[in-house]
Every structure is written in C-alpha cells, then in structure tokens.
Amino acid sequence: MTAPSTYGLSTQARNLQWLLTDLVEEVPGIVSVAVVSSDGLLLLSSEPGPTAGDGDGDGDGGAEPGARLRGPRGATADLATIVSGIGSLTTGAAQLMDGGGVKQTMVAMEHGSVFVTAISDGSLLGVHATPDCDMSVVAYHMALFVGRAGHVLTPEVRSELRQSMENTS
C-alpha cells in the first residue's frame, strides 16, 4: 500500500488512510481500492506494490505461496476513473427508474470484480477484486469502511486529501 505521506495531515485524514490500508491488507482478494470525490477526483488509493510481473517482487515470474495478487502500477488511478463512471451511470439509472439513491454496484467479470459503494455527499469507495474473492466478505468490509469513514469525510478532509494526492503525483 502506497499512501500519500501522513506528515502534516489531520488526525481525520490519517485515520481514513489507516482504514483504507486495513481494508486492503485484511480482506482477501482485494487488488486495489480508490476513494473518489463526488466530482471524480481521487482522494485515497491503494497503489499496488511489485511491478515485476509476478506479484511478489523477486522477479522470478511466480508468486510466492500466500502472496497477495497485485494489479499493474497505476491501477488505482484507472480504478478511480471507472468508479466515477459507474457511480454516474448507476445514479442516472436510479433516477430514471425512481429507485432512490444507489447504495452499491457490483460488476462481476471473468477475471475479477469491481464494487462501488456510496460513502457520503457523492463520494464513492471502489474496490477491484480477484475473480475468486468472496463477494459477500468484500461487500461487508466495504460497508464497514463506509460506516467508519462516512462521517469523517467532511469537505475539509476531502480538500486535505485531494491536496495530499496532488502533492504525491
């Protein structure tokens, strides 16, 4: 997990980064995570680790037993774009169908899944997971993250996180 430096960040921003790190490290099958603001800007991300192509960083072409599957470098930036688009599409669909607010969207693919969950004020949590993940476990832990992070993700903290992400680019 590569996160923006926590130096100089408020306690709330550091806590959100800790919650994201915990989500990535504790839930099997998660490849990458992005928190996106209502205007589509990346606020928090988990940047995948090794890029040698084997997922374990030793360059031997094979993952070590128990190693965490990693996506390509930059995957969370792409995930943020996807999350923003899915959020916009499903919100529009819900309005057309008089379905109320969208709580969670899941896209199951042959080689993985994408989950998008509303946090607060239009902010979204997006997760890219492996095809063999336990979808109910991923969804449950995303709901826990939202429950813990939603009230903390104030306009001030969003601005602080946005600035932190810009400084690490």
Side-chain angles (χ1 to χ4, degrees):
M1 162 97 183
T2 303
S5 171
T6 59
Y7 178 76
L9 292 180
S10 67
T11 301
Q12 293 88 352
R14 287 193 311 270
N15 285 343
L16 285 171
Q17 288 178 338
W18 178 84
L19 285 171
L20 187 78
T21 300
D22 190 51
L23 177 67
V24 172
E25 292 177 354
E26 297 299 319
V27 181
I30 290 182
V31 177
S32 59
V33 178
V35 174
V36 181
S37 67
S38 60
D39 53 0
L41 296 175
L42 183 62
L43 299 177
L44 284 173
S45 73
S46 65
E47 193 61 54
T51 59
D54 64 357
D56 61 4
D58 63 5
D60 66 359
E64 302 298 327
R68 182 183 238 354
L69 176 66
R70 300 293 186 181
R73 182 151 297 287
T76 53
D78 291 341
L79 180 60
T81 301
I82 293 164
V83 166
S84 182
I86 289 173
S88 179
L89 179 65
T90 55
T91 297
Q95 288 173 349
L96 286 172
M97 298 175 162
D98 292 325
V102 177
K103 295 180 180 182
Q104 186 171 48
T105 305
M106 196 266 311
V107 179
M109 301 169 286
E110 187 175 341
H111 299 290
S113 299
V114 175
F115 300 80
V116 179
T117 300
I119 299 177
S120 64
D121 296 337
S123 297
L124 301 167
L125 170 65
V127 170
H128 172 216
T130 61
D132 61 344
C133 74
D134 184 332
M135 293 180 187
S136 62
V137 170
V138 173
Y140 172 76
H141 282 277
M142 289 177 72
L144 287 178
F145 179 92
V146 168
R148 294 173 180 154
H151 69 283
V152 178
L153 202 54
T154 63
E156 295 80 18
V157 173
R158 284 194 299 269
S159 176
E160 182 180 0
L161 291 169
R162 187 177 299 130
Q163 183 65 41
S164 175
M165 290 299 290
E166 289 171 4
N167 291 341
T168 61
S169 301

